[in-house]
Amino acid sequence: MTGNELREKFLQFFADRGHQILPSASLIPANDPSILWTAAGMVPFKPFFTGAAKPEYKRATTCQKCLRTPDIEEVGKTARHHTFFEMLGNFSFGDYFKEKAIPWAWEFVTRELGLPKEKLWISIYENDDEAYDIWHKEVGIPAERIVRLGKDTNFWEIGVGPCGPCSEIYIDLGEHRGCGSPDCAVGCDCDRYLEIWNLVFIQFFRDEEGNYTQLKNKGIDTGMGLERVASVLQKVKSNFDTDLLREIMDFTARLVQVEYGKDEKTDLALKVIADHCRAVTFAIGDGALPSNEGRGYVIRRLIRRAVRFGRLMGEEETFLHKVADAVVRQMSDSYPELKDKKDHILKVILNEEKRFGETLAHGTEILNRLIEDAKQEGRTIVPGPEAFQLYDTYGFPLELTQEIAEEQGLSIDIDGFNKAMENQRERARSARQETEYISEAAVLLKNIREERGQTNFVGYNQLEAEAKIIALIKDGQLVESAQAGEDVEIIMDITPCYAESGGQVSDYAKISSPNLEVMIYEVTKPIENLIVHKGKIENGLLKQNDSVRVEVSKKRRLNTARNHSATHLLHKSLKEILGEHVNQAGSLVEPDRLRFDFTHYSAVSHEDMVKIERLVNKVILANLPIETFETGLSEAREMGAAALFGEKYGERVRVVKIGDFSMELCGGTHLHSTAEVGLFKLISESSVGSGLRRIEAVTGDGALKYVEAKEQQLAQIAQLVKTTPQEVVRRVEALVKSLKDIEHETENLRAKLAKFEVDNLLSQVKEVNGINILAAKASAPDMDSLRGMADLLREQMKSGVVLLATANGGKVNLVAAVTKDLMARGLHAGKLIKEVAQVVGGGGGGRPDMAQAGGKDPSRIQEAIAKTYSVAASQILN
């Protein structure tokens, strides 16, 4: 059974049992900043298990693409570790429970997949007698093949929130796959007993004190690794030998001209490349881009790690983008979005490969310096933390670091390297948890919604409303009232206030009643259908159940709407001018400005920026109507409405249509016509990552202020150069030409002075023990000039030693240079300058032919110059 056939068989099995087949969610979790990646099949359904949102279906089944990185170092070394994998799952949201989940699981693995019953084992939580009875009495599993395991392996929970026991299905792959221990059994870390399916029974709620209570609506969350089961069905030793990965590995092997199965190191490299390339291909397709933090850092690390393994097989040219093309070809039937985004994916990977080539060159320079420092200090070992920094920051493989060091007679502190590696892993583990059901604050809000009702948002159509206070929260606790001077979180039954979401900032507002005034400065929507208003009470006493009037700041709302509608115009204009590959990658909509991130591979030219701005303003002047309406998600897509990566859309969606120019899914606030935008001005365009650009712009009042400021600047420049604004360009051109003439003349004079100084310095050469030494004070303005002068003097002397010193800004600059013939006699510029620099309170070093140093005491320059002769003489070998 192929991987594709297994995927389809699983989904159809549960569809036949009343489950809705849902497409895989994005690898970038929607509206969930607590996690970097979708790391399990349940992640898209977290709000349904917590009760923060209501599901449209009580039963669902998916094949979810997942990405995890805690075990990245194990990829390729074991049969089953991956960064990217597919998780098959069936889910129940308050519908069926163990009585159906367990028999269905058994039916699927035995009847549909044909796995031998006598080789299947079951694990349950140690006191889950309910699961035991179903497995033993109803399904018929012999008692000796049901293993009770503890909380560390068979109870799923993370902090406060829904949780419950697990039951896992294992298959015995045979003694030859085991560790040989007489105690080898289910739960052993060896490869004999392979876990293929985990059934999580969401039946308890854990509170802050660690108490467990039964949930009214219990849930089912299961996960079966597609690659693992495929390896069992296809009777291969590891996941990498299944058709899901082997085709990619074989393609890579042909590409780099190696053969799989002949050498362990080569096999490891091919496995890592296949796994990592699948991960980055899917992640970039879902909108992630390489960068130095967050998800981008993970993508960058995976690409660089894959490229490094290619280098270890002798591949020096860019190749990973070609492997990604093979991934797209293999996986696009099941994930058609890959085909749609193929050009973008390949370009991003190629650009990152090229950038990494430059980084490797820089890393080599740093390693050479580390080796030189070790030699100068008489050490034979390169410190582990420094080797790890090369690995972590510059992508240098430890093996390459060791190889280069060994060529120079040095070794690497492996223990120190491993310790630094473990410290980083520990930081990563403590920095975040891979999955989290719900926070303590969300528990409080969920209870408020269930007991007191939800918030009805009416702000699309009105900016004022009469409302009732249903809850007040202060310092994370429910309170009955709050008084003047206090900051408080307010929940009402009705609100016209827009809560921050989709890149648009929240409204400001005023809540009032007789003798009461509250200024709202932030509005959020932490859980579905509940809006929280953060405000400061200016006057009066605010109490639960009070009736109040809510008024949104009209000016802030209008200016924000101008910028939001303008982002839609900008998005479409970028596609028109730059190409259809452009996609929104993020935005910030504020009353004063807008920021728009988009996918593109190079800086936008000035000519294209002008075209983009003109097109946006043309549509503004056309006074096109802006319509908003709700429709079904499938209907909106059929109409051609653009949807954003990573956004989570329900069955009903809101569409913003601007004439025949633009149509997007959007929940933000907008204008009624494009003319209301007023004026659109681009402020800047810059890079924010590989393949990712950012535009900032202003509209309306902000655009007018921007134009006024530019006019004032022009008037000031005209005044400074003594002309009119109309003639300022000609005047500045004339001044620039005059300045260039002066600079050219100055350079000629400097060259003549430098030649005069060189001739003067050459007259100060002294002979010591048969070698020419020039040690003197020079008048160079900076270190670069000093190095250039030393190089010129060395060239003029043919054979000799040069040391030049200069004082600038209370500091000393020193440069030493040695001709090649004298290096053979033991003279070393780096060692020479290191000793001389100590006289002026400094230090330094460098290569045998050229070195530089700094110092803190200019008053001792002559003393340092004098010491040069004795230090040079002591280095001479007879």
Side-chain angles (χ1 to χ4, degrees):
M1 191 182 296
T2 67
N4 285 341
E5 289 169 345
L6 172 59
R7 189 189 296 113
E8 292 304 315
K9 184 177 282 288
F10 182 93
L11 296 175
Q12 191 57 50
F13 177 86
F14 283 100
D16 292 343
R17 286 152 183 78
H19 292 65
Q20 179 71 30
I21 299 177
L22 298 176
S24 172
S26 169
L27 282 174
I28 300 174
N31 304 317
D32 190 349
S34 69
I35 51 176
L36 283 183
W37 302 105
T38 299
M42 55 70 56
V43 169
F45 305 122
K46 281 170 60 177
F48 303 154
F49 285 117
T50 63
K54 292 182 180 179
E56 295 162 20
Y57 313 100
K58 292 230 170 182
R59 301 178 179 185
T61 183
T62 64
C63 182
Q64 175 63 48
K65 49 194 177 185
C66 300
L67 202 157
R68 295 179 185 174
T69 57
D71 299 317
I72 187 172
E73 301 298 332
E74 297 303 311
V75 171
K77 296 177 182 177
T78 70
R80 58 185 185 273
H81 279 100
H82 296 290
T83 55
F84 174 87
F85 59 95
E86 296 176 80
M87 185 174 286
L88 300 163
N90 59 292
F91 306 90
S92 167
F93 314 115
D95 188 6
Y96 63 86
F97 199 46
K98 299 176 189 177
E99 77 288 343
K100 289 186 177 177
I102 289 174
W104 280 342
W106 184 253
E107 180 183 355
F108 183 77
V109 298
T110 56
R111 293 187 186 176
E112 299 295 321
L113 302 186
L115 297 182
K117 296 179 180 179
E118 67 275 9
K119 290 186 177 294
L120 296 176
W121 289 69
I122 306 300
S123 73
I124 61 170
Y125 180 50
E126 54 192 0
N127 64 4
D128 190 357
D129 294 332
E130 182 184 8
Y132 176 86
D133 287 342
I134 297 172
W135 279 116
H136 181 51
K137 296 178 182 178
E138 295 184 27
V139 177
I141 306 296
E144 62 270 17
R145 290 217 309 275
I146 302 176
V147 181
R148 293 180 184 264
L149 296 176
K151 198 170 185 179
D152 56 335
T153 61
N154 276 57
F155 194 94
W156 201 99
E157 65 177 348
I158 297 183
V160 174
C163 56
C166 307
S167 181
E168 299 164 318
I169 302 176
Y170 289 80
I171 185 165
D172 181 359
L173 299 176
E175 288 186 23
H176 65 287
R177 297 288 294 273
C179 57
S181 168
D183 298 327
C184 185
V186 169
C188 183
D189 288 335
C190 72
D191 289 336
R192 175 173 177 175
Y193 295 95
L194 179 67
E195 177 208 330
I196 58 173
W197 204 346
N198 186 15
L199 316 177
V200 181
F201 310 126
I202 308 299
Q203 68 184 92
F204 298 110
F205 187 91
R206 177 182 169 178
D207 63 19
E208 295 87 343
E209 285 75 40
N211 301 313
Y212 297 90
T213 55
Q214 288 277 348
L215 287 171
K216 180 181 177 182
N217 296 314
K218 299 177 174 62
I220 292 292
D221 158 21
T222 86
M224 171 189 275
L226 177 69
E227 293 82 1
R228 287 192 182 192
V229 180
S231 73
V232 174
L233 295 173
Q234 296 173 19
K235 296 181 172 59
V236 292
K237 290 183 179 180
S238 79
N239 297 358
F240 291 95
D241 294 302
T242 67
D243 66 313
L244 293 163
L245 285 142
R246 182 61 188 267
E247 290 178 22
I248 300 168
M249 291 164 58
D250 287 343
F251 173 85
T252 307
R254 292 192 298 272
L255 190 66
V256 301
Q257 298 181 340
V258 297
E259 189 174 346
Y260 177 64
K262 297 291 185 181
D263 175 75
E264 284 188 14
K265 288 186 177 179
T266 299
D267 289 355
L268 174 63
L270 291 171
K271 290 174 180 177
V272 169
I273 290 167
D275 171 88
H276 289 9
C277 196
R278 288 210 312 168
V280 299
T281 299
F282 275 92
I284 294 169
D286 279 350
L289 288 166
S291 68
N292 287 328
E293 59 184 15
R295 293 185 189 97
Y297 175 74
V298 173
I299 298 304
R300 175 159 287 166
R301 186 182 178 200
L302 289 173
I303 290 175
R304 294 186 170 188
R305 196 164 187 266
V307 171
R308 288 201 322 264
F309 275 95
R311 295 281 177 113
L312 292 175
M313 292 189 293
E315 182 55 68
E316 297 293 328
E317 301 299 321
T318 55
F319 73 96
L320 197 63
H321 63 294
K322 297 175 184 176
V323 181
D325 194 14
V327 174
V328 172
R329 285 197 302 272
Q330 178 173 337
M331 305 293 286
S332 56
D333 284 346
S334 300
Y335 299 96
E337 68 269 20
L338 291 178
K339 191 179 292 183
D340 297 338
K341 297 296 172 186
K342 184 178 107 170
D343 291 344
H344 168 65
I345 293 166
L346 302 191
K347 283 182 181 178
V348 170
I349 292 175
L350 178 58
N351 286 344
E352 188 64 20
E353 282 187 278
K354 290 178 178 177
R355 178 178 291 190
F356 183 42
E358 300 166 3
T359 302
L360 273 177
H362 185 49
T364 303
E365 288 181 18
I366 293 173
L367 177 56
N368 287 338
R369 283 207 297 271
L370 292 175
I371 291 171
E372 188 62 38
D373 289 347
K375 285 183 173 180
Q376 286 187 11
E377 295 170 13
R379 292 185 284 108
T380 59
I381 298 176
V382 175
E386 293 178 355
F388 177 74
Q389 185 181 11
L390 272 174
Y391 165 82
D392 192 47
T393 306
Y394 300 100
F396 237 68
L398 177 61
E399 298 86 351
L400 184 57
T401 303
Q402 287 177 298
E403 185 180 318
I404 295 172
E406 285 171 3
E407 289 173 358
Q408 302 293 322
L410 302 178
S411 60
I412 306 296
D413 171 20
I414 301 297
D415 289 341
F417 179 94
N418 290 334
K419 185 176 180 181
M421 171 80 79
E422 186 53 38
N423 287 341
Q424 190 213 50
R425 285 176 177 163
E426 188 58 42
R427 287 194 299 272
R429 280 193 291 267
S430 61
R432 73 178 191 277
Q433 295 171 317
E434 278 296 335
T435 55
E436 179 186 19
Y437 267 137
I438 195 166
S439 66
E440 292 184 25
V443 171
L444 174 63
L445 294 171
K446 175 175 170 281
N447 291 337
I448 291 172
R449 187 187 62 194
E450 289 181 351
E451 295 169 7
R452 307 185 186 187
Q454 60 190 38
T455 307
N456 180 23
F457 173 63
V458 297
Y460 288 137
N461 303 313
Q462 60 192 76
L463 298 182
E464 299 179 7
E466 302 293 331
K468 176 185 174 184
I469 306 297
I470 61 175
L472 298 172
I473 302 173
K474 188 170 180 291
D475 299 327
Q477 302 293 322
L478 275 173
V479 294
E480 293 294 320
S481 63
Q483 57 189 359
E486 292 184 333
D487 286 272
V488 67
E489 294 177 85
I490 304 163
I491 300 171
M492 298 176 284
D493 61 345
I494 296 172
T495 184
C497 299
Y498 180 83
E500 180 176 343
S501 63
Q504 178 178 329
V505 298
S506 72
D507 284 331
Y508 287 171
K510 181 173 74 172
I511 294 176
S512 60
S513 66
N515 304 316
L516 173 73
E517 187 176 78
V518 184
M519 303 310 296
I520 301 301
Y521 54 80
E522 184 181 352
V523 186
T524 61
K525 190 177 179 181
I527 67 172
E528 191 175 63
N529 297 326
L530 204 70
I531 295 176
V532 178
H533 308 72
K534 296 182 180 179
K536 188 177 187 67
I537 301 176
E538 301 291 335
N539 297 299
L541 180 70
L542 180 64
K543 302 188 301 299
Q544 184 180 315
N545 296 323
D546 275 357
S547 294
V548 295
R549 182 170 183 78
V550 190
E551 301 172 71
V552 171
S553 167
K554 294 182 177 63
K555 183 177 181 181
R556 178 180 173 87
R557 169 70 77 87
L558 176 60
N559 285 335
T560 304
R562 282 186 173 124
N563 284 327
H564 203 153
S565 295
T567 63
H568 288 225
L569 301 179
L570 174 60
H571 190 190
K572 182 63 175 177
S573 298
L574 287 166
K575 285 181 174 288
E576 292 280 334
I577 303 300
L578 301 181
E580 282 298 319
H581 66 277
V582 169
N583 280 297
Q584 181 173 343
S587 67
L588 175 64
V589 179
E590 297 180 315
D592 300 325
R593 61 171 183 142
L594 67 90
R595 190 180 73 205
F596 191 84
D597 295 344
F598 60 99
T599 53
H600 190 54
Y601 316 108
S602 60
V604 182
S605 67
H606 174 71
E607 292 78 10
D608 282 340
M609 289 286 280
V610 170
K611 290 178 184 176
I612 292 162
E613 184 176 280
R614 281 178 180 167
L615 179 55
V616 173
N617 281 309
K618 180 181 177 182
V619 179
I620 290 170
L621 292 172
N623 192 22
L624 298 181
I626 300 178
E627 306 169 64
T628 58
F629 57 90
E630 283 195 359
T631 186
L633 179 58
S634 57
E635 289 86 346
R637 284 176 171 155
E638 287 174 10
M639 293 165 62
L644 302 183
F645 278 128
E647 287 294 326
K648 182 177 175 238
Y649 299 108
E651 189 57 31
R652 299 292 295 176
V653 294
R654 186 167 182 264
V655 179
V656 177
K657 184 176 184 294
I658 304 178
D660 293 326
F661 184 72
S662 165
M663 184 160 53
E664 294 187 18
L665 305 186
C666 179
T669 62
H670 288 271
L671 305 168
H672 295 97
S673 79
T674 58
E676 293 179 75
V677 177
L679 174 65
F680 176 86
K681 288 296 297 178
L682 289 172
I683 304 299
S684 66
E685 191 273 346
S686 60
S687 170
V688 288
S690 179
L692 188 63
R693 311 296 300 179
R694 171 172 292 172
I695 276 179
E696 297 201 28
V698 288
T699 66
D701 291 340
L704 291 176
K705 290 177 184 176
Y706 177 78
V707 171
E708 288 170 0
K710 289 295 181 185
E711 287 181 341
Q712 287 179 359
Q713 285 180 332
L714 183 60
Q716 289 172 349
I717 293 169
Q719 188 175 10
L720 286 171
V721 298
K722 297 180 174 57
T723 189
T724 64
Q726 292 78 13
E727 294 293 319
V728 74
V729 175
R730 291 182 189 175
R731 177 64 176 156
V732 169
E733 284 176 343
L735 288 172
V736 169
K737 184 179 182 305
S738 176
L739 182 61
K740 284 183 177 178
D741 292 341
I742 293 170
E743 286 176 347
H744 181 66
E745 186 177 343
T746 301
E747 284 300 316
N748 289 335
L749 289 172
R750 280 180 179 165
K752 290 178 181 178
L753 285 171
K755 187 177 183 304
F756 174 79
E757 184 167 8
V758 166
D759 291 341
N760 181 52
L761 288 170
L762 285 171
S763 68
Q764 301 177 46
V765 173
K766 296 180 180 179
E767 185 179 322
V768 177
N769 293 351
I771 63 171
N772 293 324
I773 301 176
L774 171 56
K777 191 173 181 180
S779 57
D782 52 43
M783 187 65 85
D784 287 342
S785 301
L786 198 64
R787 277 198 305 269
M789 190 175 289
D791 206 29
L792 183 60
L793 286 165
R794 179 175 57 179
E795 187 179 323
Q796 293 282 329
M797 288 171 66
K798 309 295 184 186
S799 175
V801 176
V802 178
L803 184 132
L804 298 180
T806 184
N808 283 310
K811 294 182 179 180
V812 178
N813 288 337
L814 297 168
V815 169
V818 177
T819 55
K820 285 187 178 180
D821 63 314
L822 296 181
M823 287 163 55
R825 295 184 59 186
L827 285 157
H828 190 294
K831 294 178 181 177
L832 170 68
I833 207 163
K834 186 176 182 181
E835 288 194 50
V836 173
Q838 291 174 359
V839 177
V840 289
R847 303 188 308 270
D849 61 326
M850 177 75 78
Q852 66 185 49
K856 303 173 185 175
D857 189 356
S859 67
R860 299 184 67 187
I861 283 182
Q862 288 302 331
E863 188 180 338
I865 289 171
K867 186 173 182 179
T868 303
Y869 299 100
S870 61
V871 174
S874 68
Q875 288 186 2
I876 300 170
L877 299 176
N878 294 325

